Amino acid sequence: MLSLKERDREVNWHPYTQMKTADDIIPIVKGKGVYLFDEQGKQYIDAVSSWWVTLHGHANPYIAQKIFEQLNTLEQVIFAGFTHKPATLLSEKLLQILPDRQKKVFYSDNGSTAVEVALKMSIQYTQNQGKKKTKILAFKNAYHGDTFGAMAVSGRGTWTQPFGEMLFEVIFIDTPTSENLENLQSEIKNIADEVACFIFEPLIQGAAGMLMYKAEDLDRLMKACRESGILMIQDEVFTGFGRTGELFAANHLSEKPDIMCFSKGLTGGTLPMGITTCTNEIYNAFLSDDQSKTLFHGHSFTANPLSCTAALASMELLLEKETQKNIRRITEQHAQFSEVLKKHENIENVRQTGTIIAWEVKTSHETSYFNTIGKVFYKEFLDRGIIIRPLGNVMYLVPPYCITSGELDFIYQNIIEVVEKLAAAPVV
Ligand SMILES: *Cc1c(COP(=O)(O)O)cnc(C)c1O
């Protein structure tokens, strides 16, 4: 009889994976809290929340119960011409905790589609008002997803290279620093007439390698956009729902965006769903007796009741005192560990925002996503029962909020051991 691993090899094509040279895949049969269990019963601490989505641990019993009840009540209904309680309740509750300008909720299926919707809203918003602005502003190194529109507003590189000529034109600028801010502000004023919107990952460029920049600098950049009439799309697909230590990255900022995107932690990492929210100014620009001003966008599973129920349950858990305390505790523990890392001779560029901590291992080799040093570390951590998936030589932790301080200490201790064991060793 073939093993699950062998059967997988026959039929499955994995994401972001060169199937020819891919390492052995690990069949996971069960998840509980911060742990995942493989076929042999070996346990792994999920220190990256399964691609940054799992907030309250795997197979969370409360979310599971809520989904089960909803599954037996209403599993799906077309969202054009119909509505249901989970979607309405979720929209009400989400808008309550977002910046007050956010007034309407549009549902889709994942982070990339949440971004597509945001881009389409912005472009059509300007057109519906009879303006002709078609250019989009984004940060260099940005990551907003893998569909064509989301790819176009993401930094161009190896991932997007095969499609380069088909991606629409985007103006890319550097993330703000106190040094370049004035230049960026005047650049924005110069191009304002042709730019419909500015899309950005607030505070942290996740997929680019957990690159962090200051809220105060972003605030000033956002102010320049607001004054120049450029719509702001804040992509909180990664930063939303507590990751930055606050409920949203927005809570670190004084300037408020026009449109926001959510996914990943939205359902606590249980079911796929994306959300795009917007202001009434944007929503109102689509109200017309002229049918052509409609937002013609939707997905088969728009506002799926199960996903909405999962998101509601996850949000309840997130807002509990206990979870908020855990987020603060993780933030403090990370801060202490940052000090340890900063003193280590083999480590540089230690950075932290809330529950997200990242660092780089010094290497004499060229650094990039394909940097082999990451693979060596990945395997060593797996051997030790910890899932840490480096982006090149950038290593990071994004743990579920239910992780205990003992489990975090276990991870920290292993990180130091692994760095000391491998950093000096030659990388092949
Ligand atoms: C992951 C991510 C996306 C894309 O989300 P998917 O659900 O993977 O399509 C978009 N924006 C940001 C900031 C992300 O981190």
Side-chain angles (χ1 to χ4, degrees):
M1 211 175 73
L2 291 177
S3 70
L4 192 54
K5 206 150 68 178
E6 290 160 334
R7 283 161 52 201
D8 173 273
R9 193 87 193 155
E10 286 300 312
V11 294
N12 291 334
W13 190 346
H14 290 267
Y16 280 97
T17 304
Q18 173 44 260
M19 297 303 294
K20 182 173 178 192
T21 53
D23 288 329
D24 254 7
I25 201 149
I26 303 171
I28 293 295
V29 293
K30 186 177 133 116
K32 192 170 192 318
V34 290
Y35 293 102
L36 291 167
F37 298 87
D38 73 11
E39 281 182 325
Q40 274 76 45
K42 177 170 176 173
Q43 64 178 44
Y44 301 85
I45 295 190
D46 188 353
V48 295
S49 294
S50 283
W51 254 347
W52 325 344
V53 301
T54 310
L55 298 192
H56 312 295
H58 291 282
N60 181 283
Y62 182 71
I63 303 179
Q65 180 61 32
K66 291 288 183 183
I67 294 173
F68 178 72
E69 286 164 17
Q70 185 61 43
L71 186 54
N72 285 303
T73 310
L74 175 69
E75 84 302 346
Q76 165 68 357
V77 61
I78 173 175
F79 205 59
F82 296 88
T83 191
H84 51 84
K85 204 162 154 192
T88 308
L89 201 55
L90 176 58
S91 300
E92 289 169 350
K93 295 221 156 160
L94 180 62
L95 292 176
Q96 269 169 23
I97 57 171
L98 289 181
D100 347 316
R101 294 186 62 218
Q102 301 301 307
K103 294 288 188 209
K104 292 289 184 289
V105 176
F106 195 100
Y107 288 94
S108 66
D109 297 344
N110 54 61
S112 303
T113 55
V115 166
E116 298 288 338
V117 170
L119 295 172
K120 285 171 80 170
M121 272 182 188
S122 308
I123 299 291
Q124 197 180 340
Y125 166 82
T126 53
Q127 272 194 21
N128 281 1
Q129 295 187 315
K131 295 182 196 153
K132 236 194 145 29
K133 289 167 132 193
T134 51
K135 293 218 172 120
I136 295 173
L137 194 62
F139 282 139
K140 287 174 190 163
N141 295 318
Y143 179 75
H144 296 289
D146 286 348
T147 50
F148 267 85
M151 251 198 307
V153 293
S154 297
R156 309 293 166 84
T158 313
W159 301 351
T160 58
Q161 190 276 327
F163 319 102
E165 284 176 19
M166 306 170 78
L167 302 178
F168 53 74
E169 196 189 327
V170 171
I171 302 168
F172 289 103
I173 56 172
D174 287 314
T175 46
T177 62
S178 46
E179 286 79 41
N180 70 10
L181 201 76
E182 273 179 39
N183 280 341
L184 291 177
Q185 284 165 328
S186 58
E187 190 179 345
I188 284 172
K189 301 237 152 97
N190 286 338
I191 55 177
D193 284 347
E194 38 179 13
V195 174
C197 63
F198 167 45
I199 182 166
F200 58 95
E201 296 160 271
L203 312 186
I204 304 158
Q205 296 187 292
M210 301 294 163
L211 304 176
M212 301 183 189
Y213 64 100
K214 286 199 188 123
E216 60 192 71
D217 294 331
L218 178 58
D219 255 330
R220 293 206 207 112
L221 200 65
M222 289 174 78
K223 185 161 178 276
C225 285
R226 184 168 49 77
E227 289 170 355
S228 304
I230 296 172
L231 290 181
M232 289 176 270
I233 304 174
Q234 190 158 305
D235 178 352
E236 293 230 24
V237 167
F238 173 42
T239 51
F241 304 99
R243 279 296 171 208
T244 66
E246 298 281 344
L247 277 183
F248 300 98
N251 301 50
H252 298 265
L253 299 162
S254 335
E255 288 291 331
K256 303 299 172 206
D258 302 280
I259 297 178
M260 297 179 79
C261 303
F262 306 95
S263 188
K264 293 205 165 102
L266 170 60
T267 62
T270 54
L271 287 170
M273 188 162 70
I275 278 183
T276 310
T277 62
C278 71
T279 60
N280 271 339
E281 290 77 66
I282 294 178
Y283 177 76
N284 289 339
F286 289 76
L287 302 180
S288 173
D289 294 323
D290 175 358
Q291 286 295 326
S292 72
K293 293 199 170 170
T294 310
L295 180 62
F296 290 109
H297 190 100
H299 299 277
S300 315
F301 286 99
T302 295
N304 172 256
L306 298 176
S307 298
C308 291
T309 299
L312 273 166
S314 173
M315 216 151 75
E316 266 180 69
L317 295 177
L318 177 70
L319 296 175
E320 275 180 5
K321 270 211 189 87
E322 188 65 22
T323 311
Q324 291 300 313
K325 214 168 83 189
N326 284 338
I327 290 173
R328 281 195 299 276
R329 174 179 50 78
I330 296 166
T331 302
E332 279 160 29
Q333 272 188 273
H334 275 355
Q336 282 169 18
F337 184 54
S338 291
E339 294 311 312
V340 176
L341 285 179
K342 277 175 192 165
K343 288 192 201 112
H344 205 286
E345 57 177 357
N346 299 114
I347 287 172
E348 59 191 347
N349 300 327
V350 181
R351 48 201 185 258
Q352 185 211 350
T353 304
T355 70
I356 307 159
I357 180 172
W359 64 92
E360 284 158 40
V361 177
K362 281 187 198 165
T363 163
S364 52
H365 300 260
E366 194 197 338
T367 57
S368 77
Y369 179 78
F370 300 103
N371 195 322
T372 47
I373 200 170
K375 289 198 181 133
V376 178
F377 275 82
Y378 176 67
K379 276 194 201 149
E380 179 70 27
F381 284 121
L382 278 183
D383 282 348
R384 292 164 182 254
I386 303 169
I387 302 174
I388 293 179
R389 223 184 116 89
L391 295 153
N393 71 326
V394 178
M395 283 163 218
Y396 66 89
L397 302 177
V398 180
Y401 305 146
C402 61
I403 195 164
T404 65
S405 61
E407 286 157 349
L408 270 178
D409 283 337
F410 171 78
I411 295 172
Y412 296 154
Q413 188 196 329
N414 274 280
I415 288 165
I416 297 295
E417 281 175 23
V418 170
V419 167
E420 283 173 1
K421 178 175 166 193
L422 295 180
V427 172
V428 262

